[in-house]
C-alpha cells in the first residue's frame, strides 16, 4: 500500500469526522410564484408536512420581499410558525451583474426592512443567482454593506438546477402531458444526488475533508412533492441532515475568495478555483439542454 493510501486509511479509522457527510437544506425565492400544479397555500402546507414527517431539522427560506402580497405573507408566516428560518434574498431579486452597487444595496436594505420582524428571522443574505459582483467595486461594496448591518453571507456549497427541473415539470403540466410522478421523483432525486456527490468529492479533494454543506433548493412545487424522497435517499447514502445554523459553523463560512466570479459556482467552486482548478467548477447537470433531454427520456410517458 502506498503512503497516500495508508494515510487515507489512517484518517478514516482515527478521524471519521473528516469523512462525515452532513448537509443543511435551504430554499431560495420564497414566496415563489405558485400558479401551476399547486397553489401557494397547498405548496407551503405540503412542504412543512413533509419536512416534519421526514424529521428534517430547521431549514431556511431566503425570501424576496416584493412578493409579500396577502398570500405570500401568509406563506412566509406559515414557514416561520413551523420553526423555520426566514432570511434575506433581496426585495426584487436583481442580478448584481446588471445593476449598480447603490441600487443593489438599496434593494437588499428594502428586503431587510420588510423581513426583519418575522419570527425566526436571521441576518443572512443569499445573493440572487449566487452572483456576488462582477467587479471589485460591487464585490467589496456588498461585503462592506453586509458587515455594516451584521449580515452573514449565506453561501451554498451544493449547487444544482432544480429550478429548471421545476420549469420542465410545470411546462408539461400546462401542456397536459401525462407524467408518471414516481418517475418524476426518481429523476429529481437522481439529478440532485449526482450534483451533491460531485461537490462533496470536490470538497474532499481541495479541503481534505467533507465540510458541513449547505444545499441550494428553491421553494417550488417539486420541492414540496419530492423533498421526502430526496431526504430518504440522502440518509440511505449515509448523509446526516443538520440545521442551517450548524452548517454555518464550518470553517468555510469564513472563507473569502479574492477571485472575481461573474458567475459564482458556490463556496466549494470558489475554493477549487483558488486552488488552481479552472475547469468543471459546475456539475454537468447544471445545463438546461442536458436536463431537458434527460427529462424527455426518463419522465415523459411515450
Amino acid at each position: 500500500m502506498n503512503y497516500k493510501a495508508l494515510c487515507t486509511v489512517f484518517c478514516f479509522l482515527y478521524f471519521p469526522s473528516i469523512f462525515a457527510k452532513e448537509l443543511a437544506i435551504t430554499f431560495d425565492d420564497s414566496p415563489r410564484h405558485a400558479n401551476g400544479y399547486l397553489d401557494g397555500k397547498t405548496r407551503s402546507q405540503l412542504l412543512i408536512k413533509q419536512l416534519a414527517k421526514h424529521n428534517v431539522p430547521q431549514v431556511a427560506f431566503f425570501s424576496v420581499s416584493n412578493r409579500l402580497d396577502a398570500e405570500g405573507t401568509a406563506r412566509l408566516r406559515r414557514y416561520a410558525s413551523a420553526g423555520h428560518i426566514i432570511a434575506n434574498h433581496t426585495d426584487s431579486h436583481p442580478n448584481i451583474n446588471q445593476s449598480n452597487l447603490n441600487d443593489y444595496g438599496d434593494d437588499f436594505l428594502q428586503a431587510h426592512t420588510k423581513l426583519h420582524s418575522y419570527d425566526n428571522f436571521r441576518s443572512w443574505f443569499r445573493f440572487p443567482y449566487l452572483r456576488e459582483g462582477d467587479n471589485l467595486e460591487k464585490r467589496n461594496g456588498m461585503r462592506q454593506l453586509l458587515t455594516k448591518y451584521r449580515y452573514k453571507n449565506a453561501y451554498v456549497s451544493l449547487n444544482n438546477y432544480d429550478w429548471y427541473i421545476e420549469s420542465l415539470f410545470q411546462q408539461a403540466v400546462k401542456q397536459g402531458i401525462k407524467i408518471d410522478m414516481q418517475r418524476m421523483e426518481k429523476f429529481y432525486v437522481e439529478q440532485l444526488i449526482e450534483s451533491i456527490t460531485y461537490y462533496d468529492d470536490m470538497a474532499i479533494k481541495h479541503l481534505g475533508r467533507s465540510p458541513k454543506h449547505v444545499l441550494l433548493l428553491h421553494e417550488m412545487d417539486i420541492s414540496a412533492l419530492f423533498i421526502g424522497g430526496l431526504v430518504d435517499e440522502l440518509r440511505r447514502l449515509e448523509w446526516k441532515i443538520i440545521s442551517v445554523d450548524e452548517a454555518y459553523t464550518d470553517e468555510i463560512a469564513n472563507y473569502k475568495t479574492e477571485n472575481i466570479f461573474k458567475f459564482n459556482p458556490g463556496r466549494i467552486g470558489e475554493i477549487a478555483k483558488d486552488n488552481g482548478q479552472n475547469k468543471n467548477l459546475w456539475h454537468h447537470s447544471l445545463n438546461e439542454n442536458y436536463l431537458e433531454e434527460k427529462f424527455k427520456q426518463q419522465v415523459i410517458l411515450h
Side-chain angles (χ1 to χ4, degrees):
M1 182 180 293
N2 63 36
Y3 177 76
K4 184 176 181 180
L6 184 63
C7 287
T8 299
V9 172
F10 177 82
C11 288
F12 182 77
L13 291 174
Y14 292 96
F15 302 101
S17 63
I18 291 174
F19 299 96
K21 298 191 295 187
E22 300 177 312
L23 66 82
I25 297 173
T26 66
F27 298 93
D28 277 12
D29 296 358
S30 59
R32 200 173 190 268
H33 57 82
N35 51 11
Y37 189 78
L38 301 174
D39 60 43
K41 181 178 181 180
T42 304
R43 176 196 292 169
S44 60
Q45 290 174 333
L46 178 60
L47 183 50
I48 290 167
K49 179 180 178 181
Q50 289 301 310
L51 290 170
K53 179 180 178 181
H54 292 271
N55 300 310
V56 175
Q58 193 175 63
V59 302
F61 290 91
F62 289 89
S63 305
V64 178
S65 59
N66 74 356
R67 298 174 185 167
L68 294 177
D69 57 12
E71 190 280 319
T73 297
R75 212 186 315 172
L76 276 202
R77 287 177 177 165
R78 204 171 287 123
Y79 293 135
S81 295
H84 300 300
I85 292 166
I86 305 299
N88 189 332
H89 197 42
T90 70
D91 184 61
S92 65
H93 205 273
N95 180 347
I96 195 170
N97 294 350
Q98 299 171 0
S99 180
N100 64 61
L101 177 60
N102 288 335
D103 289 345
Y104 193 89
D106 287 345
D107 206 89
F108 153 74
L109 291 172
Q110 287 181 51
H112 174 78
T113 298
K114 296 178 183 179
L115 294 168
H116 78 276
S117 60
Y118 276 82
D119 291 343
N120 298 330
F121 175 79
R122 295 282 198 283
S123 294
W124 296 348
F125 180 64
R126 172 78 48 81
F127 285 87
Y129 312 102
L130 304 183
R131 295 171 189 173
E132 301 186 13
D134 54 352
N135 59 46
L136 278 173
E137 179 192 13
K138 293 178 186 178
R139 191 200 68 184
N140 291 347
M142 279 307 299
R143 285 182 177 179
Q144 292 167 8
L145 191 62
L146 294 182
T147 299
K148 178 179 179 180
Y149 286 90
R150 298 181 179 179
Y151 261 76
K152 179 191 298 291
N153 179 347
Y155 64 88
V156 307
S157 60
L158 303 172
N159 200 356
N160 58 76
Y161 265 21
D162 71 326
W163 57 271
Y164 192 68
I165 298 175
E166 168 84 354
S167 71
L168 294 170
F169 171 71
Q170 296 291 359
Q171 184 179 28
V173 168
K174 186 177 181 179
Q175 293 174 354
I177 297 173
K178 187 176 181 180
I179 295 177
D180 183 314
M181 296 299 277
Q182 288 184 331
R183 290 169 65 168
M184 180 69 215
E185 180 175 33
K186 185 173 185 289
F187 172 70
Y188 169 82
V189 170
E190 285 181 351
Q191 294 305 315
L192 290 181
I193 293 294
E194 281 188 24
S195 64
I196 288 167
T197 302
Y198 182 80
Y199 288 109
D200 189 49
D201 288 345
M202 190 188 297
I204 292 170
K205 175 182 177 181
H206 291 285
L207 294 171
R209 66 185 179 90
S210 179
K212 297 179 188 296
H213 283 289
V214 180
L215 173 62
L216 170 63
L217 297 176
H218 290 79
E219 193 251 16
M220 308 179 300
D221 290 354
I222 59 172
S223 303
L225 290 165
F226 306 131
I227 189 67
L230 176 61
V231 168
D232 286 347
E233 182 63 7
L234 284 166
R235 288 187 173 134
R236 188 187 73 80
L237 295 171
E238 300 184 338
W239 282 90
K240 179 183 178 182
I241 313 299
I242 60 176
S243 71
V244 191
D245 277 321
E246 183 177 351
Y248 283 141
T249 66
D250 195 277
E251 290 179 6
I252 66 171
N254 300 316
Y255 188 87
K256 287 187 177 181
T257 181
E258 291 303 315
N259 273 307
I260 299 295
F261 289 88
K262 184 175 182 180
F263 307 110
N264 193 294
R267 184 56 48 92
I268 300 306
E270 291 177 339
I271 292 169
K273 174 70 173 177
D274 290 351
N275 283 355
Q277 179 174 328
N278 294 312
K279 296 181 178 180
N280 303 318
L281 299 177
W282 286 264
H283 184 246
H284 66 257
S285 65
L286 278 74
N287 178 284
E288 296 177 19
N289 292 332
Y290 170 84
L291 289 173
E292 185 172 0
E293 186 61 31
K294 285 285 188 179
F295 181 79
K296 290 176 181 178
Q297 293 173 1
Q298 297 181 17
V299 178
I300 300 300
L301 296 175
H302 300 284

